[in-house]
Structure formats: structure tokens, C-alpha cells
Amino acid sequence: MNDASPMGGGNPAQAVGLPQLSVVIPTFNERDNVTTLFRRLEKTLAGIPFEAIFVDDNSPDGTWQVLRELSREDRRVRCIRRIGRRGLSGACIEGILASSAPCAAVIDADLQHDETQLPKMLALLQGGEFDLVVGSRYIEGGSAQSFNRQRAGASALATEVAKRVLRVDVADPMSGFFMIRRDRFEQLAPQLSTQGFKILLDVVATARGTLRIKEVPYTFGSRLHGESKLDSMVALDFLGLVLAKLTNDVVSLRFLLFAMVGSLGLVVHLAALYAALEIFHAPFAGAQACGALCAMTSNFILNNFLTYRDQRLKGFAILRGLLLFYLVCSVGLFANVGVAFSVYDQQPIWWLAGAAGALMGVVWNYAMSGLFVWRKR
């Protein structure tokens, strides 16, 4: 569901000619920065027809309202307000696909990227020798001195992993500042992940060496307002992207997380079963039911916090989701047992039958949970 703000009247002179450049800016709680950024773009791109496409993930601070007012003043401003979905990569993909210029740039709204490099980047693309121009902190002339020690170390490690594991031949594959020909992006878009933060790495890895890439140095600045959106879960997003690209998108990090949570649920089940039998002296049937209920509850909480954090249920939706999760897992148990019996009849090896049943149960629970419990709205 998108809420796209209309382009206002603005200056009639702005309607002359189609934009040569679309600048895509993903936003979340950036109301103090967006107007300043647009004024900077207006100054640095003077003489270049451009449009600024802000993709806002329904910011609680009303960023989209500021952008709507700005769009009424200047028709070069557009705002796509996304409802029910989150993520920088997905926002960038939607913004670029909604653009109208032959070249699209991605820049953060936190004012840490150097927008004065945009004319140079555009000239390189328009010259016809390159498909992608990357703003790099790690080539001569670039700098990331504003990083604290922890973030600098994480960035360096992620860069090295990307270059060695995915064979990405870019000095700064973790950069969030780049410009690409829109026709080349549209060819790659169906294979890109909408989850996570590292859209550039995804683009380069998906292209598998077919993009002509140029890097230009820039100095990564300090954030003026607001807080960084990067949290401890970014490492999981990065590992998930690496895993997906290594397996040609066959293996999903979300599925692996779901299975991992399920394994922890088994430990919870056994612990609750033991406690019910040994401490409360409950009959086995009741103890087993208690263990299953505890396991399903813990699985739901962990999946809501970790596996489906981008679609996290809140408020009353948590109770509804929990009841649906109970139902899904109950049906999954029957699927587990049915497959196990079927395999055991064909090949009476207990561990093989048990593993087959468990795998079927996980696959069923994962598929049905995504369809009914954490479905995209």
C-alpha cells in the first residue's frame, strides 16, 4: 500500500524537460533532515533537471508530512509513503523503479553522504563508459573518519567478507551512496532482496561482473540530527544476503532463523516437560501439553523479535498472531507425524523417519506462519 503525495504547482520553469537524474532517498524519522537535504540537492544540481524521490517507511515523527508540504512547494519532490513494510533495500528498489530519469542515485537522508559528488557521478554515467558509479570511502581521496572504532571495524570486516566470499571487485561494496543507469537496474531488480540495508552489495553481487563500475572518493560525514538506523540485527541481514547470493537465492536466512528458533523451542519443550513431571508431578499427558504450549509460545516470541522483525506484530495483533501460531504449529505436528510414519514404513530407520518428519514440520510451520501469522499487509 503506497500513499504517493501529489506533485504541486511549483515554478512553471521546472516543468521544462524531463529529469536527467532521479535522486532516491529512503527515510525513517528524518523530519529534521529532509528539507536541508533537498536544499543542498537544489544547490549542487543547479542546471541539471532532477527529481527527488523520498521513500518513507511511515515515520512516527511525521517525516512524510514534511515531505508532502515540500512537494506542494516544489514539483521536483515526490514522496512514497510505505505502509506495513520496512527496510532500506526495499525502499531503494521501489524508489528507483518509480523514477522517471535514465539515471538514479541513492543517498541517505542523514546528510552524511557528499551530495556535491552527484554532478561528477552523473557525467560519468552519461559518458557511456560506466553503468554504476559508487561513492567510495576506501579509495584514495575518500575517508570514513567519522566512524567510531566499533563501526569502522564492522564495516572493514563486512567489506573483506564481501570481496572474498562473493568475489565483489569494489573497494567499498557496503557504501550506501551510488548512482546507476535505470535500465541496468531494472534488469537486476527481480533478483534483488527487499530485506536488509546493503542494496549496493546486492546489486553488484547479482550482476556477477556484468556492470561497468567506477568508484569516486568522498568523505563520510557526521550525522547532524536523529539516530542511526543500524542496529545489532544488521549483521544478520548481511550474513543473510551473503548466504542468499552464494546459493543463488535457494537458501533463505529467514528460514534458517525459523529453524534455529524451532531448535531452541525443543530445548524449552524438554525443560518444561521435566519441570512439570519432576517438580509439579503432573501426569505425562498434561506435562507434554504444557511443554508443547511453552515451546510454541517461546517460538512465537523469538520469531516475532528476530525472524520477522521487519514485520513485527504489535499491540492486539500479537495476541491474534499467537493464537494463529498455535493453530499452525498444531497442524504442523500432524504433518510431522504423518511424514515420519510414511518414511518409517518404507525404510524402518528411526532417526531418518524422525528427521524427515521434523523437516516437514518446520517447512509447514514456516510456510503457514508467513502466510497467516506474519503475512505482509
Side-chain angles (χ1 to χ4, degrees):
M1 175 178 177
N2 288 340
D3 179 6
S5 63
M7 293 188 292
N11 187 341
Q14 295 168 357
V16 178
L18 295 174
Q20 297 177 21
L21 175 65
S22 298
V23 184
V24 175
I25 308 107
T27 61
F28 185 74
N29 288 345
E30 298 284 4
R31 65 173 297 133
D32 295 328
N33 293 331
V34 289
T35 301
T36 300
L37 175 59
F38 180 71
R39 297 307 174 204
R40 289 186 181 184
L41 292 175
E42 192 175 36
K43 180 180 179 180
T44 198
L45 296 173
I48 299 175
F50 79 97
E51 63 179 353
I53 303 176
F54 292 86
V55 186
D56 184 70
D57 286 356
N58 198 30
S59 297
D61 74 346
T63 299
W64 57 273
Q65 293 173 311
V66 175
L67 291 169
R68 175 164 292 174
E69 291 302 317
L70 189 59
S71 73
R72 291 190 177 119
E73 299 172 9
D74 196 312
R75 65 190 309 150
R76 293 172 296 183
V77 177
R78 295 168 56 193
C79 176
I80 300 174
R81 180 186 175 195
R82 305 201 305 168
I83 306 294
R85 52 195 194 281
R86 292 274 299 274
L88 185 144
S89 291
C92 292
I93 292 170
E94 290 189 38
I96 295 176
L97 294 180
S99 66
S100 58
C103 299
V106 170
I107 187 170
D108 285 351
D110 54 16
L111 309 178
Q112 292 180 288
H113 293 155
D114 184 3
E115 74 284 346
T116 64
Q117 298 299 317
L118 290 174
K120 180 195 300 183
M121 297 165 79
L122 179 62
L124 288 168
L125 288 188
Q126 290 179 331
E129 295 183 21
F130 303 104
D131 303 312
L132 171 66
V133 181
V134 178
S136 178
R137 299 159 293 185
Y138 304 133
I139 62 174
E140 185 176 355
S143 172
Q145 292 183 354
S146 62
F147 277 172
N148 59 37
R149 181 178 299 178
Q150 180 181 5
R151 189 171 177 186
S155 178
L157 176 62
T159 297
E160 194 63 24
V161 170
K163 293 169 71 174
R164 289 182 178 274
V165 177
L166 297 181
R167 302 186 183 280
V168 172
D169 189 21
V170 177
D172 192 1
M174 314 307 289
S175 176
F177 180 35
F178 64 92
M179 188 183 296
I180 189 170
R181 283 175 44 191
R182 204 186 75 212
D183 58 344
R184 294 294 284 118
F185 183 86
E186 288 180 343
Q187 293 170 357
L188 300 170
Q191 303 169 62
L192 301 178
S193 171
T194 59
Q195 308 301 319
F197 290 81
K198 300 307 176 185
I199 179 66
L200 175 64
L201 174 60
D202 197 0
V203 167
V204 176
T206 300
R208 300 184 183 279
T210 63
L211 289 174
R212 299 170 297 169
I213 303 173
K214 174 69 174 178
E215 294 187 75
V216 297
Y218 84 100
T219 298
F220 190 79
S222 300
R223 169 178 276 274
L224 298 183
H225 302 286
E227 298 179 354
S228 174
K229 310 304 182 297
L230 304 181
D231 58 21
S232 58
M233 297 301 177
V234 173
L236 285 176
D237 289 325
F238 172 71
L239 292 175
L241 179 58
V242 171
L243 179 65
K245 294 308 169 186
L246 279 176
T247 61
N248 291 322
D249 296 312
V250 171
V251 178
S252 161
L253 176 66
R254 200 189 294 274
F255 176 75
L256 291 181
L257 288 174
F258 191 91
M260 181 184 73
V261 168
S263 299
L264 293 175
L266 176 60
V267 176
V268 172
H269 183 124
L270 294 176
L273 176 62
Y274 177 83
L277 288 173
E278 299 298 324
I279 299 177
F280 298 100
H281 306 293
F284 182 80
Q288 177 72 348
C290 175
L293 189 65
C294 288
M296 286 189 288
T297 303
S298 68
N299 285 359
F300 174 80
I301 293 171
L302 287 174
N303 279 318
N304 193 51
F305 174 75
L306 182 66
T307 310
Y308 294 95
R309 65 189 181 282
D310 57 314
Q311 299 165 232
R312 191 172 294 163
L313 301 177
K314 298 178 181 179
F316 181 76
I318 292 180
L319 178 59
R320 177 180 176 276
L322 178 60
L323 295 177
L324 285 172
F325 191 72
Y326 285 156
L327 179 61
V328 163
C329 291
S330 297
V331 176
L333 178 61
F334 286 105
N336 180 331
V337 174
V339 169
F341 269 113
S342 177
V343 172
Y344 193 79
D345 283 342
Q346 300 295 322
Q347 193 79 312
I349 303 176
W350 67 268
W351 60 266
L352 179 62
L359 179 60
M360 181 63 207
V362 169
V363 171
W364 169 271
N365 290 343
Y366 175 71
M368 294 300 104
S369 292
L371 189 60
F372 294 108
V373 182
W374 288 281
R375 67 181 183 275
K376 291 187 177 180
R377 297 174 294 278

